[in-house]
Amino acid sequence: VEENPKSTYIIRMAKYQMPAVFEHHTRWYDSSLKSVSGSAEMLYTYNNVVHGYSTKLTAQEVEALKAQPGVLSVWPELKYELH
Amino acid sequence: TTRTPEFLGLGKSDSIYPESDSGSDVIIGVLDTGVWPESKSFDDTGLGPVPSGWKGACETGTNFSASNCNRKLIGARFFSKGYEATLGPIDTSRESKSPRDDDGHGTHTASTAAGSVVEGASLFGYAQGSARGMATRARIAAYKVCWVGGCFSSDILKAIDQAVEDNVNVLSMSLGGGMSDYYRDSVAVGAFAAMEKGIFVSCSAGNAGPSSFSLSNLAPWITTVGAGTLDRDFPAYVSLGNGKNFSGVSLYKGNTLPGTLLPFIYAANASNATNGNLCMMGTLIPEKVAGKIVICDRGVNARVQKGSVVKAAGGLGMVLANTAANGEELVADAHLLPATSVGQKSGDDIKKYLSSDPKPSVTILFEGTKVGVQPSPVVAAFSSRGPNSITPEILKPDIIAPGVNILAGWSGALGPTGLPIDDRRVPFNIISGTSMSCPHVSGLAALLKGAHPDWSPAAIRSALMTTAYTVYKNGRNILDIATGKPSTPFDHGAGHVDPIAAHDPGLVYDLTVDDYVNFLCALNYTDDQISGLTRKEGSCKAKKYSVTDFNYPSFAVNFQSTGGSTVAKYTRTLTNVGPAGTYKVSLKSETQMVKVSVVPETLTFSQRNEKKSYTVTFNAVGAMKPNSNSFGHIEWSDGKHTVGSPIAFSWS
């Protein structure tokens, strides 16, 4: 059993709050993510339907990320089913 | 599909949806299990070049390359990073890491929406005819988001993100994930952005009926589609040794039963398991089953699996009996042994015979395909039902469409039952679900988009809803098969889709992006929650927002059951999309407990795109029991067009 299991989350960012120092929003996302996790990598970045990305995080990393500026929400992965 | 085009009034030589190039510029994105590109439904004969605005791609992967796409199937992508992050790497010996459909569901939905015409289609001779999608000239882009282990929200969100970028015009999603608030639901979040770009989004309502509050995909920017039956059936009668016959349905094709009556046994009496009646794997005692026909109860495991369990135990045939959960709804299956499905009442009567006759016997008589079945449509028992559990002020589902025993394209990777032991391969399969009704509406929306390129997604939905029908030709209300009684707007929404009437609705209830944002403000969503949907900062201003003024084509009116007079005012705005005319309102209501009035009672439109508003006042004049409902109808007509809206009254 992993001591700190990771789950997938979708992180939505307030792109309009992006500091001017970042040339591209993906750099900002990456910087925000790296500040709470040295190992986490983005699964996807979302450009059209939300501003944000998905990644795998531990529960502690989620709490740390929520406190980051520009983070609107951190929602856990949900499973959908065919109808 | 076969039969549904005729059932919906499409396909006539003088069709109001001509085989013109305008419709061929419409692109339908289907989020599902991928696509089987070799299906004849994706033949591109007669189609012109890929629309110039198309930015999509045909991605390469397991058993799939760019050459699998053509001028019909113009895009195919797959999204598995979220799936693999949770469940580990895809086992390519079990499923294709590519857009290829190893399941069949995605090929079925895509071909239903926009499949090309295929003559002589059938499943083992059942439902024979000319198969076609609703929008035969529309293009298809398949986005594979569902895998053996499920469909994950991060993949769905990325697929919608990509579909928006690719420039689809319609998104069809026959999947759902419970009842999360809109800002937490990837389908709703993605659909919001799609709607902003003018993309029509239709989703299945879910198969959790007939329970109330069982709907998925409730966001008002989504068109939520429930399921009804066709006028087609596949009769297979149960003939008992006492001379009585019972109606059932089946898609069985294969070795026939001997012409004589065979020994008959109830599965519960051929098993030591407490749930032996269900014909679960390994629960039947071969010595008791061999050489007999077995009656199994529906539920828990797959219907077709019950048949394979009976077959494995040496049974010669199966009668599958509905229980209270399914009532009299009959869903036909391509069983691996001679088998038929019967309703609960028939099942109960058959079991009484079994318990009363010391040597019971039976045979099954397969009658093929029957069309012209009446009444039709009826609301499918499985179709999810309202009220809306997230926003009770929005009536859902929006509409119903054919979703029972639908024949459409199928994957070559598996048999029609989907069971691993089913080594049959079929180009078409017959299956049921709101998954099947959703792409019907997606295709019809594509036809409307082709005919009226300037219509917004809300205008297209309004046209489909306000022209939907709720009564049969004899004037009686559409029935609900779950109860055998007339269905209500919580079951059928605005009614059954009528694409011919929808082409010329006269008036539409239009909605802009700002209207949807105002709706979210009226729900008191926080700035962050709204920003999560709109991707913009602080959208709500210091003004009063009202859900009751949200310009939806239906009405859900909620009262407290404490009694006394309660007045609710709803404002709506109609946009003229037809010729000049004067429309008069008419009202119907089941209840005397609510007085309904409309001001003004007449609306005159002198030019196209002119807008006129009206206010409906609902005055509850007495007490009602908590959780009671009643229904009504508002209709505007100029003598040629009828613009109808259902009303649902609820007391809490």
Side-chain angles (χ1 to χ4, degrees):
Chain A
V1 176
E2 277 185 69
E3 196 173 325
N4 290 306
K6 291 194 171 199
S7 301
T8 305
Y9 295 86
I10 297 171
I11 292 90
R12 287 188 224 164
M13 304 290 286
K15 194 177 167 188
Y16 47 83
Q17 291 178 13
M18 184 173 82
V21 66
F22 293 101
E23 283 181 13
H24 197 267
H25 59 274
T26 53
R27 299 272 177 147
W28 180 44
Y29 300 167
D30 196 50
S31 169
S32 174
L33 176 59
K34 287 288 182 290
S35 69
V36 302
S37 172
S39 61
E41 292 188 0
M42 283 187 260
L43 298 171
Y44 296 114
T45 57
Y46 304 102
N47 304 311
N48 300 297
V49 298
V50 293
H51 295 141
Y53 58 95
S54 47
T55 188
K56 288 189 81 172
L57 298 168
T58 65
Q60 294 89 332
E61 288 166 348
V62 167
E63 291 311 309
L65 192 62
K66 282 179 179 173
Q68 288 284 306
V71 175
L72 279 176
S73 62
V74 182
W75 297 121
E77 178 94 282
L78 290 174
K79 198 171 164 184
Y80 288 66
E81 61 181 27
L82 294 162
H83 284 154
Chain B
T1 73
T2 55
R3 194 65 186 171
T4 59
E6 293 82 1
F7 189 70
L8 295 170
L10 298 170
K12 292 173 185 160
S13 57
D14 58 347
S15 173
I16 55 170
Y17 296 104
E19 298 277 305
S20 67
D21 278 342
S22 62
S24 71
D25 283 339
V26 181
I27 302 161
I28 304 177
V30 182
L31 268 67
D32 212 296
T33 60
V35 66
W36 190 262
E38 292 82 6
S39 168
K40 286 183 181 174
S41 294
F42 307 123
D43 187 311
D44 66 354
T45 303
L47 286 173
V50 171
S52 57
W54 178 238
K55 294 182 184 169
C58 200
E59 294 180 348
T60 298
T62 315
N63 296 321
F64 206 98
S65 69
S67 64
N68 286 121
C69 287
N70 58 18
R71 288 169 297 173
K72 165 58 77 175
L73 179 64
I74 63 171
R77 297 185 187 270
F78 64 102
F79 301 86
S80 61
K81 288 181 182 175
Y83 175 68
E84 291 186 294
T86 299
L87 295 180
I90 286 172
D91 177 357
T92 53
S93 69
R94 289 185 71 208
E95 56 184 331
S96 303
K97 192 172 177 180
S98 76
R100 183 165 289 279
D101 178 16
D102 305 306
D103 177 280
H105 192 280
T107 302
H108 201 279
T109 54
S111 58
T112 297
S116 301
V117 179
V118 183
E119 302 293 346
S122 77
L123 171 65
F124 304 136
Y126 288 104
Q128 186 143 22
S130 175
R132 52 164 282 194
M134 296 303 101
T136 53
R137 295 184 67 81
R139 317 302 177 111
I140 296 166
Y143 296 84
K144 182 173 175 179
V145 295
C146 293
W147 305 83
V148 169
C151 331
F152 286 79
S153 55
S154 59
D155 293 328
I156 292 169
L157 196 62
K158 185 60 188 176
I160 303 174
D161 195 80
Q162 189 64 59
V164 168
E165 193 159 315
D166 289 347
N167 269 339
V168 303
N169 304 107
V170 174
L171 264 177
S172 187
M173 293 184 271
S174 291
L175 48 82
M179 297 162 196
S180 304
D181 236 318
Y182 308 133
Y183 57 88
R184 300 183 64 164
D185 174 0
S186 283
V187 169
V189 169
F192 190 95
M195 171 275 297
E196 285 182 302
K197 299 274 168 113
I199 298 166
F200 178 92
V201 182
S202 54
C203 290
S204 45
N207 301 336
S211 304
S212 299
F213 298 100
S214 55
L215 293 160
S216 303
N217 299 316
L218 292 161
W221 46 91
I222 291 171
T223 298
T224 312
V225 188
T229 63
L230 285 177
D231 64 339
R232 182 174 66 190
D233 222 337
F234 308 101
Y237 297 96
V238 177
S239 183
L240 299 180
N242 63 4
K244 286 188 176 174
N245 291 326
F246 294 90
S247 296
V249 296
S250 180
L251 298 170
Y252 171 74
K253 188 75 171 182
N255 294 331
T256 52
L257 291 167
T260 54
L261 293 168
L262 293 166
F264 195 20
I265 189 167
Y266 185 27
N269 299 326
S271 172
N272 290 327
T274 51
N275 60 355
N277 60 318
L278 296 173
C279 295
M280 308 279 282
M281 291 269 275
T283 59
L284 294 181
I285 301 167
E287 293 76 26
K288 293 193 174 182
V289 167
K292 294 177 184 167
I293 291 180
V294 181
I295 182 166
C296 305
D297 286 331
R298 190 169 162 187
V300 185
N301 60 333
R303 299 182 302 272
V304 288
Q305 191 187 53
K306 293 172 193 285
S308 75
V309 168
V310 171
K311 189 178 184 185
L316 294 182
M318 177 181 71
V319 175
L320 181 57
N322 279 358
T323 61
N326 313 104
E328 299 308 305
E329 177 169 78
L330 301 180
V331 180
D333 293 300
H335 290 283
L336 292 165
L337 84 172
T340 186
S341 298
V342 298
Q344 183 192 9
K345 287 177 193 163
S346 298
D348 290 347
D349 286 347
I350 292 168
K351 283 177 226 168
K352 276 182 198 159
Y353 162 71
L354 274 164
S355 60
S356 64
D357 192 317
K359 287 187 75 176
S361 59
V362 67
T363 192
I364 303 171
L365 306 166
F366 298 93
E367 300 279 312
T369 306
K370 183 181 171 190
V371 294
V373 174
Q374 297 300 336
S376 59
V378 295
V379 178
F382 62 74
S383 189
S384 288
R385 315 300 173 97
N388 184 329
S389 57
I390 296 180
T391 316
E393 297 86 354
I394 302 294
L395 179 63
K396 291 276 183 175
D398 291 312
I399 204 158
I400 61 168
V404 179
N405 295 333
I406 304 300
L407 177 138
W410 196 244
S411 167
L414 75 174
T417 62
L419 295 172
I421 58 164
D422 188 354
D423 58 6
R424 301 170 296 178
R425 293 295 177 266
V426 292
F428 294 91
N429 197 10
I430 296 172
I431 54 175
S432 300
T434 54
S435 274
M436 283 66 245
S437 56
C438 167
H440 275 90
V441 168
S442 308
L444 299 178
L447 286 180
L448 286 172
K449 184 76 183 169
H452 306 287
D454 56 325
W455 282 9
S456 70
I460 292 172
R461 175 178 52 198
S462 175
L464 291 167
M465 287 176 65
T466 62
T467 58
Y469 63 94
T470 56
V471 294
Y472 300 117
K473 283 176 183 162
N474 64 9
R476 294 182 184 274
N477 290 321
I478 288 177
L479 297 177
D480 176 1
I481 204 165
T483 61
K485 295 175 181 170
S487 58
T488 75
F490 286 144
D491 311 318
H492 61 236
H496 193 277
V497 66
D498 178 354
I500 304 303
H503 182 273
D504 181 20
L507 308 172
V508 295
Y509 294 91
D510 206 357
L511 284 161
T512 65
V513 176
D514 284 346
D515 293 325
Y516 287 109
V517 174
N518 292 345
F519 164 81
L520 296 170
C521 294
L523 295 185
N524 292 319
Y525 272 33
T526 66
D527 281 351
D528 280 358
Q529 288 166 347
I530 295 176
S531 295
L533 283 159
T534 64
R535 308 173 310 287
K536 295 182 185 77
E537 194 175 9
S539 302
C540 301
K541 298 175 180 67
K543 71 169 194 177
K544 191 169 176 282
Y545 295 96
S546 171
V547 180
T548 58
D549 292 343
F550 184 58
N551 203 34
Y552 214 71
S554 56
F555 295 84
V557 188
N558 302 285
F559 297 112
Q560 295 294 316
S561 54
T562 47
S565 177
T566 308
V567 176
K569 284 182 186 285
Y570 285 60
T571 300
R572 294 287 189 271
T573 300
L574 283 159
T575 303
N576 182 31
V577 293
T582 296
Y583 285 78
K584 290 184 179 171
V585 75
S586 61
L587 300 164
K588 282 183 197 162
S589 177
E590 288 178 356
T591 179
Q592 300 297 313
M593 302 304 286
V594 183
K595 304 296 178 197
V596 187
S597 59
V598 177
V599 176
E601 293 181 339
T602 301
L603 295 172
T604 299
F605 297 87
S606 55
Q607 58 190 351
R608 195 171 277 264
N609 292 324
E610 191 177 357
K611 293 180 187 292
K612 299 269 180 173
S613 295
Y614 69 93
T615 300
V616 194
T617 303
F618 301 102
N619 186 2
V621 293
M624 289 282 279
K625 284 182 189 168
N627 303 318
S628 56
N629 302 306
S630 189
F631 304 96
H633 197 73
I634 291 182
E635 207 167 271
W636 291 91
S637 181
D638 64 350
K640 185 188 175 206
H641 305 91
T642 301
V643 187
S645 292
I647 310 167
F649 302 111
S650 300
W651 284 264
S652 57

